[in-house]
């Protein structure tokens, strides 16, 4: 009996050690590691995100310092798109017999559910002497009983598939299709076992001929099939789409979902899901690594369709999606809008994962942050702030009530100031933080009733 109790205790400890919770309704939404190529899926009423896991090339093994470097995958889940759980590492390059474990090339994956099993598709460089005997990028599958794993990789990669960026669509009639890229975008039917091709790979025609195409993501809505993919039309990737009446096409090029990164992040890679009656675009940007665009971070924004089924272009935001509880850190640097002179900088450029701060240089600077959820009327506000000469800021709600005025004493370091609120608010509100004094003020976060 005692042994049984010890075993249960050990199991609970292992499970809780493997799952880390963090709150972020803002972009980027994974805050402690680089993540890219987010494939989002809805399983059992929750959103699961299967991203690539960018790292910096380890020293001493001859890897290029200026290239993608990925050793393993984690999976993340959320019910509200605000609180994210990291379920830990699910597959690494050392787990699959066919993977060249010196290549660090675990690029963009995908995962689908069929008959209660979870099929995780991932590309990597193959071993010269591996089970398939072929070199180059192959795509393998790992299978689990739960989205969080444990996943068991198949011994061989999928025969007949050479390339990267797997994506799987299971159509309404139960037929599964595998899409991938290698210069062009390919499609083939999958057998019911989800592990083997059931048709010859076909290049999808009628897509742009010039410029790299990769990262296919196919979804169905109102009997139309959307083939979405990153494409280099000019200098860097932008997200484009084509529409067809069948999973294998023909598809007709229709438009752009997201323009090129304004700061030159070379890749973008995305997925599209509907969750709780809202469509979302998951994509990536190099938020935590502005100097090196192969260390990326995943983001979410809402996506909307026009009445004719075309997709409205998505403007990337820092605010992201979901509501932010009023009693959590409200990172106003992940703003909804700001005045021209309000600026954002890293708190600590040496460790960008520490996050950002808002800088108000002049009187009248402001920043707004939407969808803060006041479950209770707040009595106090806390602000982490820095102001060498002191200053005053105020927080205004969307009905123009000044909720709080915060007098910041002169100080030369970060301080958390607490002040009583002036007006009560309840429910979900958009907030505006305004600088109403003359000297510079820097803000890390605000919070109510800490
Ligand atoms: O993450 C490595 C590669 O960069 C992906 O496979 C591509 O889609 C691009 O995002």
């Amino acid at each position: 009996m005692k042994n049984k109790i010890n075993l249960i205790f050990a199991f609970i400890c292992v499970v809780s050690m493997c799952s880390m919770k963090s709150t972020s309704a803002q972009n980027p939404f994974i805050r402690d590691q680089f993540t890219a190529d987010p494939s989002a899926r809805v399983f059992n009423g929750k959103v699961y995100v299967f991203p690539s896991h960018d790292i910096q090339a380890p020293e001493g093994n001859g890897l290029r310092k200026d290239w993608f470097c990925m050793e393993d995958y984690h999976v993340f889940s959320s019910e509200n798109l605000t609180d994210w759980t990291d379920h830990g590492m699910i597959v690494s390059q050392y787990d699959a017999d066919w993977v060249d474990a010196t290549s660090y090339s675990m690029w963009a994956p995908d995962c689908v559910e069929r008959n209660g099993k979870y099929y995780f598709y991932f590309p990597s460089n193959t071993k010269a002497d591996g089970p398939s005997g072929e070199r180059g990028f192959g795509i393998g599958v790992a299978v689990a009983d739960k989205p969080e794993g444990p996943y068991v990789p198949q011994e061989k990669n999928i025969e007949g598939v050479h390339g990267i960026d797997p994506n799987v669509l299971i159509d309404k009639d139960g037929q599964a299709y595998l899409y991938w890229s290698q210069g062009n975008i390919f499609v083939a039917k999958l057998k019911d076992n989800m592990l083997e091709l059931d048709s010859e790979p076909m290049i999808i025609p009628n897509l742009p001929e010039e410029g790299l195409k990769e990262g296919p993501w196919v979804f169905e809505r109102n009997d139309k099939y959307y083939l979405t993919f990153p494409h280099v039309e000019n200098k860097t990737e932008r997200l484009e789409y084509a529409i067809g009446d069948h999973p294998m096409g023909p598809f007709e090029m229709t438009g752009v979902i997201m323009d090129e990164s304004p700061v030159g992040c070379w890749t973008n890679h995305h997925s599209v899901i509907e969750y709780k009656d809202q469509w979302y675009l998951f994509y990536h940007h190099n938020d935590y690594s502005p100097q090196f665009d192969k260390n990326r971070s995943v983001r979410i924004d809402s996506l909307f369709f026009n009445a004719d089924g075309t997709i409205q272009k998505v403007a990337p935001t820092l605010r992201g999606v979901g509501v932010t509880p009023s009693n959590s850190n409200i990172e106003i640097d992940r703003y909804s809008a700001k005045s021209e002179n309000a600026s954002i900088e890293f708190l600590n450029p040496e460790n960008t994962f520490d996050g950002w701060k808002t800088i108000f240089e002049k009187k009248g600077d402001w920043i707004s942050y939407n969808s803060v959820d006041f479950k209770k009327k707040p009595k106090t506000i806390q602000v982490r702030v820095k102001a060498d000469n002191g200053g005053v800021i105020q927080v205004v709600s969307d009905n123009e009530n000044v909720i709080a005025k915060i007098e910041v004493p002169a100080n030369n370091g970060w301080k958390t100031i607490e002040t009583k609120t002036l007006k009560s608010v309840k429910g979900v509100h958009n907030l505006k933080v305004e600088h109403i004094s003359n000297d510079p003020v820097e803000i890390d976060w605000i919070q109510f009733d800490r």
Side-chain angles (χ1 to χ4, degrees):
M1 184 63 181
K2 198 168 165 209
N3 280 352
K4 208 168 165 192
I5 291 171
N6 282 347
L7 250 173
I8 293 169
F9 180 68
F11 177 71
I12 291 168
C13 290
V14 168
V15 169
S16 58
M17 262 159 47
C18 289
S19 290
M20 296 256 304
K21 241 200 166 49
S22 70
T23 296
S24 169
Q26 309 119 356
N27 285 327
F29 64 92
I30 303 299
R31 297 282 172 102
D32 61 352
Q33 58 196 286
F34 297 117
T35 48
D37 310 325
S39 286
R41 293 289 181 188
V42 181
F43 296 141
N44 313 320
K46 276 196 212 176
V47 176
Y48 285 82
V49 176
F50 298 84
S52 305
H53 182 193
D54 289 345
I55 56 173
Q56 277 153 7
E59 294 293 337
N61 52 10
L63 291 167
R64 279 173 61 179
K65 291 272 172 228
D66 61 348
W67 194 236
F68 302 105
C69 186
M70 291 99 123
E71 190 177 24
D72 59 24
Y73 300 100
H74 285 221
V75 59
F76 302 84
S77 73
S78 175
E79 255 173 273
N80 57 10
L81 305 180
T82 297
D83 301 305
W84 286 92
T85 299
D86 178 356
H87 298 282
M89 199 262 283
I90 52 167
V91 173
S92 94
Q93 62 177 354
Y94 312 103
D95 297 336
D97 288 344
W98 61 271
V99 169
D100 172 0
T102 64
S103 67
Y104 289 77
S105 55
M106 307 291 269
W107 288 16
D110 191 12
C111 187
V112 288
E113 183 270 339
R114 175 163 215 152
N115 299 331
K117 294 261 179 224
Y118 295 84
Y119 295 88
F120 179 72
Y121 296 79
F122 61 99
S124 191
N125 272 295
T126 53
K127 281 180 188 156
D129 58 351
S132 73
E134 294 165 337
R135 288 230 76 166
F137 264 102
I139 290 173
V141 193
V143 186
D145 293 325
K146 288 188 294 174
E148 299 86 3
Y151 283 88
V152 179
Q154 296 293 296
E155 191 196 330
K156 290 187 187 174
N157 48 310
I158 305 175
E159 205 177 316
V161 180
H162 307 281
I164 58 169
D165 297 351
N167 165 241
V168 174
L169 171 83
I170 304 179
D171 199 11
K172 288 175 288 185
D173 63 3
Q175 176 63 56
Y177 298 87
L178 175 67
Y179 304 83
W180 69 94
S181 58
Q182 195 183 36
N184 286 298
I185 293 179
F186 292 79
V187 61
K189 287 183 181 172
L190 279 171
K191 289 190 179 164
D192 282 353
N193 67 11
M194 304 296 281
L195 306 171
E196 292 167 278
L197 295 192
D198 204 14
S199 71
E200 281 301 308
M202 178 189 106
I203 292 177
I204 297 182
N206 306 327
L207 303 182
E209 303 224 326
E210 301 291 318
L212 181 70
K213 299 179 285 294
E214 53 180 2
W217 181 268
V218 179
F219 65 94
E220 183 269 336
R221 178 181 179 268
N222 295 343
D223 294 329
K224 294 283 177 206
Y225 295 84
Y226 292 75
L227 165 60
T228 65
F229 57 96
H231 170 231
V232 182
E233 169 70 18
N234 300 303
K235 278 193 173 153
T236 62
E237 290 184 333
R238 67 182 193 184
L239 303 179
E240 300 182 7
Y241 72 109
I243 298 182
D245 292 322
H246 187 272
M248 294 181 99
F251 294 97
E252 192 181 329
M253 279 308 294
T254 309
V256 174
I257 303 174
M258 181 173 275
D259 285 327
E260 289 98 342
S261 148
V263 297
C265 180
W266 203 92
T267 63
N268 199 351
H269 185 125
H270 66 298
S271 57
V272 175
I273 57 163
E274 188 183 21
Y275 183 59
K276 297 187 178 169
D277 298 325
Q278 173 64 52
W279 287 84
Y280 295 99
L281 177 74
F282 289 69
Y283 61 101
H284 71 221
H285 188 62
N286 58 331
D287 297 87
Y288 284 122
S289 176
Q291 310 305 330
F292 180 49
D293 65 0
K294 311 290 179 294
N295 280 175
R296 301 153 295 177
S297 295
V298 290
R299 291 176 165 210
I300 326 174
D301 275 302
S302 301
L303 177 138
F304 299 93
F305 290 85
N306 295 309
D308 64 358
T310 53
I311 297 174
Q312 293 179 11
K313 214 186 248 187
V314 179
T317 75
L318 295 175
R319 174 61 188 86
V321 299
V323 292
T324 303
S326 60
N327 61 352
S328 67
N329 280 8
I330 304 166
E331 307 280 354
I332 56 171
D333 46 72
R334 308 294 87 195
Y335 58 87
S336 304
K338 69 174 188 65
S339 62
E340 206 181 329
N341 291 322
S343 61
I344 309 298
E345 284 181 15
F346 284 118
L347 282 164
N348 172 10
E350 302 298 311
N351 180 11
T352 56
F353 288 115
D354 284 354
W356 293 266
K357 61 185 177 183
T358 302
I359 303 173
F360 291 150
E361 282 294 335
K362 296 205 173 71
K363 188 173 185 172
D365 289 347
W366 59 268
I367 204 153
S368 68
Y369 186 100
N370 289 350
S371 303
V372 176
D373 190 7
F374 292 87
K375 290 242 172 330
K376 280 197 328 204
K377 291 180 177 173
K379 293 198 168 65
T380 60
I381 183 170
Q382 294 73 34
V383 183
R384 187 161 188 264
V385 65
K386 188 165 174 275
D388 291 353
N389 301 321
V392 188
I393 54 171
Q394 65 182 17
V395 180
V396 182
S397 79
D398 39 13
N399 49 17
E400 310 229 319
N401 278 332
V402 176
I403 306 176
K405 195 179 262 191
I406 301 106
E407 311 257 352
V408 185
N411 64 79
N412 48 16
W414 288 100
K415 290 240 165 15
T416 301
I417 309 280
E418 176 167 302
T419 309
K420 285 207 168 88
T421 51
L422 300 172
K423 279 256 186 284
S424 277
V425 269
K426 206 156 182 240
V428 177
H429 288 274
N430 301 336
L431 301 182
K432 188 169 180 190
V433 181
E434 296 173 339
H435 183 209
I436 55 173
S437 54
N438 293 316
D439 288 325
V441 175
E442 300 186 5
I443 302 169
D444 185 3
W445 46 257
I446 67 171
Q447 183 171 12
F448 293 87
D449 287 343
R450 199 168 196 215

